């Protein structure tokens, strides 16, 4: 189970989340945090991160550069702050089995990125974003991070009336190409991952969903240099089920890593809740098993406590519930695969394609004329039942 379930704690939620929402100020002040953006507080947060990981028995954590170290007055000062916190993290991880699952550059919070980073109309902002990714990739590499994520929260538009979409998409592709080139130069072996999300904060985000993001990568010749980090709550915002997004990525060999969270059926935004639905976890793990696992990716709890949950204990409970849910999902999914009834229902549905006619379609040896002949020669076909209720009955009989 440990090999399959490579859990990770999200630094930004767990160590920076203070319960703030757009209508309300913080509801919690963690004991390791004095609420300031000083380096001393950054060090304390990092110590708390390692203490939490060790108590929880989790080997991975994920971070944005700006979660772990404060911005200085200049980029040089900011980079020095980051180096100081990374040096501490390096010391703390010595003799442990703890490493970052992934690092990322936060290209969405600061005012300079209000029009985007890679898709900003302003070339100096594009350059600043590149410098930030370069440094974030270096520190991820230094800490033995296994992947590097790009989530383009501001890579999109608010209105097409002031937007040159073609230029923005070309710039975004170029930015990713340069990142991939730098990865090679640096000798970073980790996987580069794009994380799709349809909107929020931008009205329309270019990495809308898995299919859109794969199409973009393919068009720009980047498919072999990137995979996807898929988040359940982003899937539902795009109008898909989580399992749709995972399967779409899996069948194209693009399933890289997973942000394990969930949304709320009655809420239309990214609520980033811990996933505790065992049926949902079973569906997710079915895809993970079919994918042969997702290593060097993992299960990052990109999830936060509710505003009203204010005890340190709640952080432990939330992560433990999240881990137990995925573990139960794995156990259920393994039993579904071993049982085989669901797979044979699917195989039976497509078995006519194993016929000589089906094989000829697949190998391209016949065209529309031969297909017309086949149709003329055969009786009118009434297809058999889709057996959806049976499929659901089989699936849910394994959910426990
Ligand atoms: C935002 C989100 C991010 C990414 C990393 O919705 O999911 O936290 O996972 O930038
Ligand atoms: Co995420």
């Amino acid at each position: 189970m440990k090999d399959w379930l490579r859990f990770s704690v999200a630094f930004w939620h767990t160590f920076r989340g203070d319960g703030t929402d757009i209508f309300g100020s913080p509801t919690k002040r963690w004991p390791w945090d004095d609420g300031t953006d000083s380096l001393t507080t950054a060090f304390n947060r990092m110590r708390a991160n390692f203490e939490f990981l060790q108590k929880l028995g989790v080997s991975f954590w994920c971070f944005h550069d700006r979660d772990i170290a404060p911005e200085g007055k200049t980029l040089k000062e900011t980079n020095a702050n980051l180096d100081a916190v990374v040096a501490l993290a390096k010391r703390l991880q010595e003799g442990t089995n703890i490493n970052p699952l992934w690092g990322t550059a936060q290209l969405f919070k600061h005012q300079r990125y209000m029009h985007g980073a890679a898709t900003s109309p302003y070339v100096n902002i594009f350059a600043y974003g590149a410098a930030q990714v370069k440094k974030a990739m270096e520190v991820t590499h230094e800490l033995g991070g296994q992947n590097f994520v790009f989530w383009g929260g501001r890579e999109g538009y608010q209105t097409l009336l002031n937007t040159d979409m073609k230029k923005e998409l070309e710039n975004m592709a170029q930015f990713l190409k340069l990142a991939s080139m730098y990865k090679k130069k640096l000798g970073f072996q980790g996987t580069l991952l794009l994380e799709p999300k349809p909107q929020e904060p931008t009205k329309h985000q270019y990495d809308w969903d898995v299919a859109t993001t794969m199409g973009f990568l393919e068009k720009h010749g980047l498919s072999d240099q990137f995979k996807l980090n898929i988040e359940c709550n982003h899937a539902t915002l795009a109008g898909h089920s989580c399992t749709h997004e995972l399967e779409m990525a899996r069948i194209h060999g693009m399933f890289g890593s997973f942000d394990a969270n969930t949304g709320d059926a009655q809420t239309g935004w990214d609520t980033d809740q811990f996933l505790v639905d065992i049926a949902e976890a079973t569906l997710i793990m079915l895809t993970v098993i079919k994918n042969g696992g997702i290593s060097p990716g993992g299960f990052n709890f990109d999830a936060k406590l509710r505003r009203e949950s204010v005890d340190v204990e709640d952080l432990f409970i939330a992560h433990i519930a999240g881990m137990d849910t995925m573990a139960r999902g794995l156990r259920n999914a393994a039993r579904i695969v071993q049982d085989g009834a669901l797979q044979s229902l699917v195989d039976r549905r497509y078995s006519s394609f194993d016929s000589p006619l089906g094989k000829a379609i697949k190998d391209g040896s016949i065209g529309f004329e031969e297909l017309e002949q086949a149709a003329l020669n055969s009786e009118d076909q009434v297809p058999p039942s889709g057996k959806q209720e049976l499929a659901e009955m089989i699936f849910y009989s394994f959910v426990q």
Side-chain angles (χ1 to χ4, degrees):
M1 267 192 159
K2 207 169 176 184
D3 295 339
W4 286 91
L5 297 167
R6 294 157 48 86
F7 292 127
S8 163
V9 169
F11 193 96
W12 54 99
H13 286 310
T14 301
F15 297 100
R16 303 303 307 268
D18 59 10
T20 306
D21 70 15
I22 47 167
F23 294 103
S25 43
T27 56
K28 42 209 164 200
R29 167 79 52 85
W30 301 117
W32 53 82
D33 200 316
D34 66 3
T36 69
D37 217 8
S38 69
L39 256 182
T40 309
T41 307
F43 293 146
N44 287 338
R45 290 185 193 121
M46 190 53 74
R47 288 192 194 94
N49 177 40
F50 276 82
E51 185 179 337
F52 186 66
L53 289 164
Q54 275 159 327
K55 287 185 169 160
L56 212 54
V58 165
S59 313
F60 299 108
W61 59 293
C62 293
F63 67 98
H64 302 82
D65 47 1
R66 300 297 175 258
D67 305 333
I68 62 171
E71 279 230 29
K73 284 191 209 73
T74 60
L75 182 58
K76 214 167 160 188
E77 199 180 306
T78 304
N79 286 347
N81 288 346
L82 190 55
D83 285 336
V85 180
V86 167
L88 172 67
K90 217 171 165 186
R91 275 204 305 283
L92 292 169
Q93 76 181 24
E94 251 167 50
T96 71
N97 59 351
I98 296 172
N99 287 114
L101 180 68
W102 49 259
T104 185
Q106 192 196 72
L107 304 179
F108 46 88
K109 197 163 183 175
H110 195 280
Q111 175 190 21
R112 74 173 65 87
Y113 294 123
M114 67 182 172
H115 306 285
T119 63
S120 172
Y122 305 102
V123 71
N124 56 330
I125 303 298
F126 184 100
Y128 203 101
Q132 212 182 307
V133 166
K134 173 178 176 289
K135 181 71 183 169
M137 207 186 277
E138 287 163 5
V139 302
T140 303
H141 182 44
E142 195 176 337
L143 290 171
Q146 307 204 357
N147 304 270
F148 190 85
V149 162
F150 296 81
W151 170 63
R154 303 271 176 204
E155 312 298 15
Y157 60 80
Q158 300 295 0
T159 172
L160 281 175
L161 293 174
N162 68 3
T163 301
D164 184 338
M165 183 150 64
K166 186 167 188 292
K167 195 175 217 68
E168 292 203 358
L169 286 166
E170 282 166 4
N171 283 351
M172 190 162 97
Q174 189 58 19
F175 191 95
L176 295 174
K177 260 180 218 162
L178 297 176
S180 171
M181 278 164 60
Y182 189 67
K183 171 196 144 154
K184 286 181 198 124
K185 190 156 189 197
L186 187 64
F188 177 52
Q189 302 293 326
T191 314
L192 300 181
L193 300 165
L194 291 189
E195 183 175 326
K197 183 175 182 181
Q199 69 273 116
E200 194 206 3
T202 316
K203 170 190 156 70
H204 181 104
Q205 201 172 301
Y206 294 130
D207 295 336
W208 186 268
D209 63 359
V210 166
T212 311
T213 308
M214 286 191 311
F216 170 82
L217 289 172
E218 189 68 27
K219 174 177 160 58
H220 294 284
L222 292 165
S223 294
D224 57 343
Q225 293 154 65
F226 286 82
K227 284 192 173 176
L228 304 178
N229 181 42
I230 299 164
E231 177 167 326
C232 270
N233 206 163
H234 296 178
T236 47
L237 289 179
H240 302 302
S241 64
C242 187
T243 187
H244 167 93
E245 290 291 80
L246 298 179
E247 278 292 285
M248 186 60 91
R250 177 187 74 78
I251 62 177
H252 291 91
M254 294 295 278
F255 185 6
S257 199
F258 181 55
D259 271 7
N261 70 6
T262 193
D264 182 292
Q266 286 146 281
T267 309
W269 61 89
D270 199 9
T271 57
D272 281 344
Q273 287 163 242
F274 281 83
L275 197 160
V276 287
D277 180 329
I278 297 171
E280 178 83 337
T282 305
L283 284 170
I284 291 163
M285 295 314 299
L286 263 178
T287 297
V288 169
I289 291 176
K290 286 181 188 164
N291 201 60
I294 53 172
S295 178
F299 297 78
N300 173 46
F301 291 114
D302 191 355
K304 61 186 174 208
L305 294 182
R306 297 305 85 196
R307 177 171 162 80
E308 305 81 2
S309 302
V310 297
D311 296 340
V312 172
E313 181 195 57
D314 296 327
L315 287 173
F316 283 92
I317 293 169
H319 284 84
I320 290 166
M323 290 194 282
D324 283 352
T325 305
M326 298 314 302
R328 291 168 79 175
L330 175 60
R331 219 157 48 185
N332 293 341
R335 285 165 49 238
I336 290 172
V337 171
Q338 276 154 8
D339 169 79
L342 198 55
Q343 188 59 49
S344 46
L345 184 149
V346 176
D347 292 344
R348 270 200 307 281
R349 259 190 107 205
Y350 296 87
S351 58
S352 67
F353 275 87
D354 298 334
S355 65
L357 181 63
K359 286 188 176 136
I361 292 170
K362 194 171 172 205
D363 67 26
S365 60
I366 59 171
F368 264 18
E369 286 91 349
E370 291 84 353
L371 288 169
E372 181 187 46
Q373 259 326 304
L376 289 169
N377 293 342
S378 73
E379 298 279 300
D380 220 11
Q381 294 274 325
V382 180
S385 167
K387 294 286 173 213
Q388 179 173 335
E389 296 75 9
L390 178 60
E392 287 164 349
M393 181 194 254
I394 296 169
F395 175 78
Y396 280 98
S397 73
F398 287 97
V399 174
Q400 46 183 267

